[in-house]
Amino acid sequence: MNIQFKKGVLELCVLSILSRKDCYGYELVNEISKNISISEGTIYPLLRRLMNDELFTTYLIESSEGPPRKYYTITEKGKLEQQALVKEWGNFLEGVNKIIKGEDGHE
Amino acid sequence: MNKKEFMKRLEDRLRFLADEERKDILFDYEDHFSAALENGESEEDIVKSLGNPEIIARQYKVSRVIQQAETNKSSGNLLRAVLATMGLGFLNMVFVVGPFFGIVGVLIGFYAAGFGLGISGLAVAGAGLIGLITGTLGPFVQLPVGISFNDSYLSIVLLSFGISFGSIGGLIGIGTFYLTKVFYNLTVKYLKFNVKLIKGNE
């Protein structure tokens, strides 16, 4: 059984990317799947959920060849959430590394 | 599977949503396809990377159903949310089914205890009351041999105990009611956390 706890981390990834620049859907999906292997289709439900939580909003940009493109932009609430998640992630990493190296916390 | 097939399957599975929302979601995937095709990816590759449309639709369903449980508090909505979350995958099922049904069992137990105490309390108090009114407990109470009480004294005792038990039963019932509310809200929070944390099966 393959245990994957990637979902919690996906939120952190999405918010981090958006905190640097606005992206459209495909761009976001690509950035993420470049570095972690995920089922790309499940990113959109996640985006929708995060949008309902008001972590970012969307706007449309007209495109010359085709339908308008939806861009995602992070909100203040999203930025705060991102910072909180980065901190949590840091603590988690630290903890796991300690266990792997076998340290007991004393230098 | 090609794009048309993928979009059709997705649309079929999203029928439970309002038209507006469904269109919005499908638009996201149309957008994805058009951007990916522009980027030079083949339709086949795009569909493959997106994954199974049934699984995608299930994720939208779970979000929706949890949202409904949050805004419209009812046991039906909560049960739907629990079942939908369990349907996401094996781990989701394991981490949800045990605790949820365990706690439901405990709550039912408390209600039953409260109800039982309440009813017995009423019965005992009733016997006491009848004793006071008619002046005798007669057929209602059999005392062990060798013990004799003044009937009205005993009636008062029964009445008091009966009221006490009944009140305790009532308090348990009320307490469990509030406990149920707390449990409802905690369950919704836990489901959201569960969905966020554990990836469903591919």
Side-chain angles (χ1 to χ4, degrees):
Chain A
M1 178 175 51
N2 212 2
I3 300 178
Q4 294 160 320
F5 288 86
K6 288 176 185 165
K7 264 204 195 154
V9 175
L10 273 187
E11 190 176 329
L12 170 58
C13 291
V14 166
L15 287 172
S16 299
I17 296 174
L18 287 180
S19 69
R20 285 191 290 271
K21 69 180 191 115
D22 295 356
C23 292
Y24 57 94
Y26 178 66
E27 212 182 334
L28 250 181
V29 167
N30 249 10
E31 266 308 307
I32 296 177
S33 62
K34 230 176 11 189
N35 293 304
I36 358 178
S37 99
I38 36 132
S39 205
E40 293 182 6
T42 58
I43 292 199
Y44 291 100
L46 171 68
L47 289 179
R48 190 164 194 85
R49 192 163 47 79
L50 296 180
M51 203 168 69
N52 282 336
D53 290 343
E54 292 165 351
L55 298 181
F56 44 77
T57 57
T58 61
Y59 58 89
L60 292 172
I61 288 196
E62 296 294 330
S63 136
S64 48
E65 65 279 300
R69 189 142 282 168
K70 182 152 105 181
Y71 278 76
Y72 296 89
T73 177
I74 199 168
T75 60
E76 275 311 309
K77 191 174 174 195
K79 285 190 194 151
L80 289 173
E81 176 75 8
Q82 193 263 352
Q83 284 157 13
L85 286 177
V86 167
K87 205 157 163 218
E88 256 180 61
W89 173 249
N91 290 338
F92 178 66
L93 266 188
E94 210 181 302
V96 171
N97 281 331
K98 277 201 188 134
I99 296 173
I100 294 176
K101 289 185 200 153
E103 291 169 15
D104 61 1
H106 298 298
E107 293 290 346
Chain B
M1 194 177 1
N2 60 14
K3 171 182 167 190
K4 204 155 157 211
E5 174 82 23
F6 177 92
M7 293 302 288
K8 172 108 189 24
R9 286 214 202 163
L10 187 59
E11 183 172 2
D12 280 347
R13 285 282 190 280
L14 291 177
R15 292 236 169 269
F16 64 90
L17 287 172
D19 282 349
E20 189 73 41
E21 207 179 335
R22 182 172 56 241
K23 262 197 263 203
D24 209 29
I25 291 174
L26 291 172
F27 175 78
D28 279 347
Y29 289 91
E30 287 284 353
D31 208 6
H32 180 96
F33 270 105
S34 88
L37 286 168
E38 237 171 80
N39 202 26
E41 286 189 47
S42 77
E43 210 177 273
E44 201 186 313
D45 280 345
I46 301 174
V47 170
K48 199 152 154 221
S49 323
L50 282 177
N52 190 339
E54 269 95 20
I55 295 197
I56 294 172
R58 216 179 287 168
Q59 313 241 335
Y60 284 112
K61 173 130 188 132
V62 170
S63 296
R64 176 89 168 111
V65 152
I66 291 183
Q67 197 178 35
Q68 271 178 324
E70 228 178 345
T71 51
N72 258 332
K73 298 192 200 245
S74 85
S75 52
N77 283 344
L78 189 67
L79 194 60
R80 264 185 282 272
V82 167
L83 290 175
T85 307
M86 276 167 51
L88 282 180
F90 180 70
L91 274 185
N92 299 88
M93 194 187 76
V94 164
F95 281 110
V96 168
V97 73
F100 178 74
F101 287 108
I103 296 181
V104 165
V106 167
L107 284 175
I108 291 180
F110 277 140
Y111 277 124
F115 184 70
L117 261 183
I119 294 284
S120 347
L122 275 177
V124 170
L129 204 56
I130 291 176
L132 275 182
I133 293 173
T134 64
T136 171
L137 288 170
F140 297 118
V141 178
Q142 296 294 329
L143 287 178
V145 175
I147 299 180
S148 91
F149 276 110
N150 180 300
D151 269 346
S152 62
Y153 174 73
L154 190 52
S155 302
I156 293 177
V157 167
L158 286 179
L159 190 59
S160 323
F161 270 112
I163 293 179
S164 308
F165 286 151
S167 315
I168 294 176
L171 281 175
I172 292 180
I174 294 175
T176 311
F177 178 69
Y178 282 112
L179 210 62
T180 306
K181 275 190 175 179
V182 167
F183 170 62
Y184 190 100
N185 293 330
L186 281 180
T187 302
V188 170
K189 280 210 180 99
Y190 180 66
L191 289 178
K192 281 173 142 180
F193 166 77
N194 186 288
V195 166
K196 185 165 137 169
L197 196 63
I198 299 179
K199 185 170 161 71
N201 286 336
E202 300 266 344

